[in-house]
Amino acid sequence: MAKIPLSEKLDEPNVSAVPVTTGVPKYDESALIGASARAEAHNTKALTNLGNSIEDFGLAIQKRQDTEDEYEMEKRFVDFDVQQEKRLIDMQNNPGKDAKGFTSGFVGAYNADGKEFFKGVPPRLKAKYDEALVRRRGGYESRAYRFEVSERDRQHREDLDSKLIDLRNITAVSPDSYRENVARGVSIIGASHLPPADKDKAMKAFAQGV
């Protein structure tokens, strides 16, 4: 009987015949849990990035809309100003007797237009245009008042001059009434709304010109 070589003993396994497994064995549950957690974290990060991208896109859309709103409101406010300027000029061309109620009439119309304008202002711009409307009203009111005062004075002087001319004409055809008419002229000037200094000048001028 032949002898079995020592290098081929049956009770020693052939190491070269056993497959070598590299990495983490698939039956290692802790490794599987770790891999799952990493995958979940990756997915969460991806979702977060997607959410941020969507949010950034939404903010960009909102910013563009806000810019368009501001542009449209600025255009509307220019139109509003044009409307008020036209009204002021139209009223100045027809101020009425002594321009009575000129300022209050203009401001009342401005307020009505301002309330209508304000209805179309986006919520985030309301504070801005509320302040702008009030500021613009102050400017228009000041201009309207200055016109009312100057127009009232102009009409008053025009009316006074007309009466003084009448007295001069009466005196020209009736010289005997000279003293009486001078007194009447001085009395009318004294009762007028002219400033005191202007009254003195007007009295002297009338007395010398009659």
Side-chain angles (χ1 to χ4, degrees):
M1 180 180 294
K3 293 183 179 181
I4 300 175
L6 294 177
S7 60
E8 295 183 10
K9 292 181 178 180
L10 294 176
D11 56 349
E12 293 182 6
N14 187 352
V15 176
S16 63
V18 178
V20 178
T21 304
T22 59
V24 180
K26 64 180 180 180
Y27 48 81
D28 187 344
E29 294 183 359
S30 63
L32 292 175
I33 293 173
S36 175
R38 288 193 296 273
E40 183 177 353
H42 176 76
N43 292 337
T44 300
K45 183 177 180 180
L47 290 174
T48 300
N49 291 338
L50 177 60
N52 290 338
S53 298
I54 293 174
E55 182 178 0
D56 290 343
F57 180 72
L59 290 174
I61 294 295
Q62 184 61 51
K63 184 176 181 180
R64 180 171 182 175
Q65 183 62 52
D66 290 346
T67 300
E68 291 179 356
D69 288 345
E70 290 177 10
Y71 177 66
E72 291 300 320
M73 288 308 306
E74 287 297 336
K75 289 198 304 181
R76 283 189 57 208
F77 201 44
V78 171
D79 292 340
F80 178 84
D81 255 340
V82 170
Q83 181 183 13
Q84 303 313 309
E85 288 288 350
K86 184 178 183 303
R87 172 181 288 114
L88 185 59
I89 292 173
D90 289 344
M91 291 180 64
Q92 288 173 339
N93 290 334
N94 298 280
K97 176 64 175 175
D98 293 333
K100 188 175 182 180
F102 184 90
T103 304
S104 60
F106 178 85
V107 171
Y110 178 96
N111 286 338
D113 288 347
K115 289 179 181 179
E116 192 64 28
F117 173 89
F118 199 70
K119 290 179 182 178
V121 178
R124 73 179 192 85
L125 296 176
K126 285 189 179 296
K128 173 184 176 180
Y129 282 98
D130 181 53
E131 180 182 354
L133 285 167
V134 171
R135 184 173 62 252
R136 294 296 290 154
R137 182 182 62 193
Y140 280 117
E141 185 173 10
S142 178
R143 289 169 58 191
Y145 179 74
R146 289 197 301 270
F147 175 82
E148 179 176 340
V149 171
S150 65
E151 178 62 16
R152 182 181 61 219
D153 289 347
R154 186 193 70 78
Q155 290 190 26
H156 185 70
R157 287 174 181 272
E158 190 176 81
D159 184 58
L160 176 61
D161 288 343
S162 175
K163 300 309 174 194
L164 295 177
I165 289 173
D166 288 342
L167 285 173
R168 289 191 181 97
N169 292 336
I170 292 174
T171 304
V173 297
S174 180
D176 294 342
S177 62
Y178 170 80
R179 291 182 178 279
E180 179 184 357
N181 290 336
V182 168
R184 293 171 67 186
V186 169
S187 178
I188 291 175
I189 294 170
S192 71
H193 300 312
L194 295 179
D198 290 350
K199 286 183 178 181
D200 291 339
K201 292 179 182 179
M203 289 177 182
K204 293 177 181 178
F206 177 75
Q208 293 173 358
V210 174

